Amino acid sequence: MELTTETQGRATIVRLRGEIDLHVAGQVRRAVLAAVDAGGPVVVDMNGVAYIDSSGIASLVEGLQRARARKQTLSLARVPDVAARVMRIARLDHVFTIHDTVADALAGDGAA
């Protein structure tokens, strides 16, 4: 799994690649929560995620809950089919705001 974080304007972008499973979910959780704690909108760019299990999804849900509690936004961008399928099964596609591109997410979250 590869994880990078960058700041763009007021937003923090967390980029994920590879397999997101129990072994790396804690790392994802820490990065997403740190991005929320930094303030401003958070975009999780999931391009290149080859697999995500329930622990990875739980990390994203926890980040979303913290963002909402702080009146911030956390959205997902470039969600690959493998992850989108898991989101649909769990009905999380109705909970998360999902964008086709990071630019769309930044514009939609007012971060641009």
Side-chain angles (χ1 to χ4, degrees):
M1 192 256 325
E2 295 175 37
L3 185 153
T4 59
T5 303
E6 71 178 75
T7 302
Q8 197 169 66
R10 297 183 320 104
T12 302
I13 303 167
V14 178
R15 297 186 191 277
L16 304 175
R17 296 184 57 81
E19 295 188 1
I20 313 299
D21 60 17
L22 181 61
H23 301 292
V24 298
Q27 190 177 353
V28 172
R29 177 185 176 274
R30 286 187 296 277
V32 170
L33 294 179
V36 172
D37 290 346
V42 176
V43 178
V44 179
D45 179 359
M46 297 181 67
N47 186 47
V49 170
Y51 172 82
I52 189 164
D53 70 6
S54 60
S55 61
I57 296 292
S59 297
L60 298 176
V61 169
E62 186 176 351
L64 179 65
Q65 290 171 332
R66 183 175 290 184
R68 286 182 173 172
R70 295 173 179 227
K71 307 285 190 246
Q72 293 170 242
T73 60
L74 184 149
S75 60
L76 307 178
R78 303 195 306 169
V79 178
D81 289 341
V82 66
R85 191 170 34 249
V86 173
M87 301 289 246
R88 282 192 302 275
I89 289 168
R91 303 206 33 89
L92 292 172
D93 56 331
H94 299 288
V95 175
F96 283 96
T97 301
I98 301 173
H99 298 278
D100 290 334
T101 68
V102 172
D104 289 346
L106 292 172
D109 292 342

